[in-house]
Amino acid sequence: MRTQAKRPAMRPEALNSLFVETEALDGVGPKLRRPLEKLGLTRIRDLAYHLPDRFVERRVITNLDEGSIGENVVVALTVREHRAPPGRGPFRVVAEDVAGNICTLTYFGRASYSAKKQLPVGETRWVAGRLDQYGQMLQIVHPEHVSENASAPLGHLCEAVYPLSEGLTQGRLGSLVSQALQGLPDLPEWIEPGLAAKTGWPVWREALAAAHRSADAEARDRLAYDELLANALALMLVRESNRSQRGTPLQGDGALRAKLQLPFALTGAQARSIREIEGDLAQGAPMLRLLQGDVGSGKTVVALSAMLIAVEAGAQAALLAPTEILARQHYETLSRMLRGTGVEIALLTGRDKGKAREAILMGLLDGSIQIVVGTHAIFQDSVTYRNLALVVIDEQHRFGVGQRLMLARKGRRVPHTLAMTATPIPRTLTLAQYGEMEVSKLDELPPGRQAIDTRVVAVERLDDVAQALARHIASGQQAYWVCPMVTENENEDLAAAEARYAALKERFGDAVALVHGQLRPEVKDAAMERFARGEASLLVATTVIEVGVDVPNATLMVIEQAERFGLAQLHQLRGRVGRGSGKSTCLLLRGDKLSETARQRLALMRETQDGFRLAEEDLQLRGGGELLGTRQSGDTPFRIANLEQITRLLPMAHDDARLLIERDGGLSGERGEAARLLLYLFERDWGVQLLRSG
C-alpha cells in the first residue's frame, strides 16, 4: 500500500510521488525503516537527494599481473579450493586467473556462508574488490561483488559510496536509491532561461540521475543551485510579506532607559545598533533585524534597550532562548540591569507548573508582566499576551524561519523581531541564512576588556596543565575544562567529559562539577548554578557551555583535543573567560597527530581574537569539498550545497530570485509556477504560505 508523508496544504500534485514514504519501495519494512530514519530518509525525495560521498573507480584486468597492490579491480577468477579455518580464523577461497596466477579471496565471520554459495569450486566468477598482498600471496578481502554474468565488469567500474547507518549496506541502499530515481516525475524548469543556457546544466531529473552515477560536477552544481535558489526565494518572500504587514510603531520616551544604571559606557557599535533598531521600531512595517555580535561585544544591553522602547510605548517584549540554561542566565542578567526601573520581568520555561505558571500566564494576559524571558514555552498555545510587540530571539541559528513565523500569531499585529547570534558568520553565509533580514554588527569590544592569553599545549604535558589548574583553583579563581565527547568511543581515542570529570574529581573532590547535553535539565541547571555561585571551582563540560555562560571569576579555559573543533567553536568557548577584570588564559590541548588545517586553526587562535576574521578564515580553511559543519558555522539550511558551491553559486541564486520577484511576476506565470514547485520540493513552502496569507 502506498503511503504518503503528511502533506502540507496545497502541495502541487506533481510532487506527490516524491513525498510517498519509503515503505512503498520493494524490500522496505519496519526493520529497514529504522536505519533509514536515522539518516533522515523517510520519503522517496529524501532517497533521491541522498547523494554519494564518493565513487569507487575500478579497472577491468585480464590477469592479476596487470593490477597494482591497493588498486580496485574487476577480474575473472576460477575457484580451485575452499579452505575452512581450524579455529576462528578467516575462510579462504583459493582462485586463479587465466594466466594461472593465484589469489586468495578472504572472508571473516558469517560472510563465509555466502562465499561458499557464490564461489563453487571449479566455476569462474567475475570478482570486484581491492587487490592486496598478505605475505607472498595476493588477496582480496571481502570482495565487493561476485558475479557469473559475462558482462558483470561493466556494472562495477564506477560505484557510488553512500553515507550509511547501522543496519544498512551499500548494496541495499543503492537498490533503494535506484527505485526512487526510476519514479522521478518530469518537472518544468525553474532556473532563469538565460542562466540555464549559459551554464549548460542538465535538467532536474537528469542531474539527479547523473549525480548518483558519477562525480559529475555539473550535475552536483545544478542540484546545489536548486537548493540555494529555493532558500533565497523563500527568504525574499518573507521579506516582501513582512513589508506588506502592519506592525505596531513603537516610539519610547526614553524614561525607562534613562533609569538604567550601567557600570560602563556604550561602545560606538552598541550605540549605532540601538539607533538602527530604534529607527526600525518606529516604522509601520514589522522590524526584521539580525544583531550579530562577537563574544563579549554586549548584545544583551542592545536587546534590553530595544525591549525598553517597547515597554515605554505601552507594549510587551519577549526574549526567546534555545535552552533553559541560557534562558535563566538572561533572566538573571536582565533582572540585575532592570533594578530601580520598575519594569516587571518574568521567566517562563517548560518546567514551570502549577500556581507559579498560572501567575505568569495571568501577568502576561493582563499586561502587568512587561518582559518575559524563556524557552519555546513562551509561545505555546496556552500563553496569551495583552500586547506583544517585540520578540528577541537569542542564538537565532537554533530556530528556523518557520518557527519565527509562528511568533507572528502572538501579537495583535505582527511583532517586531530582533534576532541575535553570538557566532560571527562569514558574509556569504549571512546572506544564505538571514537574507530576509537587515543586519546590525557589533564589531567593537567594550573598553577595558583584556586580551585572553591563548596557548597551544601538547597533550603530553597534561600533568603540567593539571598542576597549573591546581594553583589556579588554590588562588580562589575558577576554570572550565571542555571535552569533545560525553562518553568514550570504542573505536577512537577521544577525550570524554565523564572520564575526565572522574579523574579531576579524584584530585579536586567536590570542587568539580559536570555538565553535558545528556544530563537531565534539572541536574544540568544545578551544576551550572553551583559553578555560577562559586561553590564549584572547576566545571567539566562538553560544548553545551559554548554560549550564554557568564561567570566573571572563571579565568582559565582548558579545551581538550582542540584540533577537533572548528575555529568558530573554539572562539566561542574561549569567550567564556575574560568576562571579568582579571587576566584570563585559554589552553588549547592538542593531540600528537595534527592535520595541516588543524595546525593552521590553532595558529590563528593564538594570533587573533577577532571573531569576524576567524569566521572568514574558518570558511577558507574548511574549503570546497567539506560539507558545512552545523556546529562550526551555525546551523545552515543546506544539505546538498557545500561551502565552495555556496560561495560561488549563492550570489547567482540571489540575483535569480530577485529577478523572479521584481521582474518576472513572482510565483505567478509559467516560471513562477515552476518556482512554486521548487519551494515545495525543498520544503521552503512557508514562503508560499506567506504569499497566500499576505
Side-chain angles (χ1 to χ4, degrees), residues 262 264-267 269-271 273-274 277 291-305 330 333 337 418 420-422 441-446 449 550 579:
L262 302 175
F264 48 80
L266 295 177
T267 66
Q270 286 174 314
S273 296
I274 290 171
I277 292 166
L291 179 63
Q292 194 178 163
D294 204 349
V295 175
S297 58
K299 293 182 299 300
T300 305
V301 174
V302 175
L304 177 58
S305 296
H330 277 308
T333 301
M337 290 180 169
L418 176 65
M420 303 194 297
T421 177
K441 186 179 285 189
L442 297 181
D443 50 8
E444 182 182 349
L445 292 181
R449 284 198 63 136
D550 187 3
R579 306 180 82 81

Side-chain angles (χ1 to χ4, degrees), residues 248-312:
T248 303
L250 300 175
Q251 290 183 302
D253 57 9
L256 293 175
R257 283 169 284 166
K259 292 181 181 179
L260 286 177
Q261 297 187 3
L262 302 175
F264 48 80
L266 295 177
T267 66
Q270 286 174 314
R272 181 184 68 241
S273 296
I274 290 171
R275 286 195 301 272
E276 290 169 347
I277 292 166
E278 193 169 12
D280 283 358
L281 293 176
Q283 304 304 310
M287 174 177 71
L288 266 182
R289 184 168 286 274
L290 173 69
L291 179 63
Q292 194 178 163
D294 204 349
V295 175
S297 58
K299 293 182 299 300
T300 305
V301 174
V302 175
L304 177 58
S305 296
M307 290 190 283
L308 287 179
I309 291 172
V311 177
E312 288 169 359

Side-chain angles (χ1 to χ4, degrees), residues 319-335:
L319 192 156
L320 175 64
T323 66
E324 286 195 20
I325 288 178
L326 195 47
R328 290 180 187 280
Q329 187 94 46
H330 277 308
Y331 173 70
E332 290 164 8
T333 301
L334 293 174
S335 295

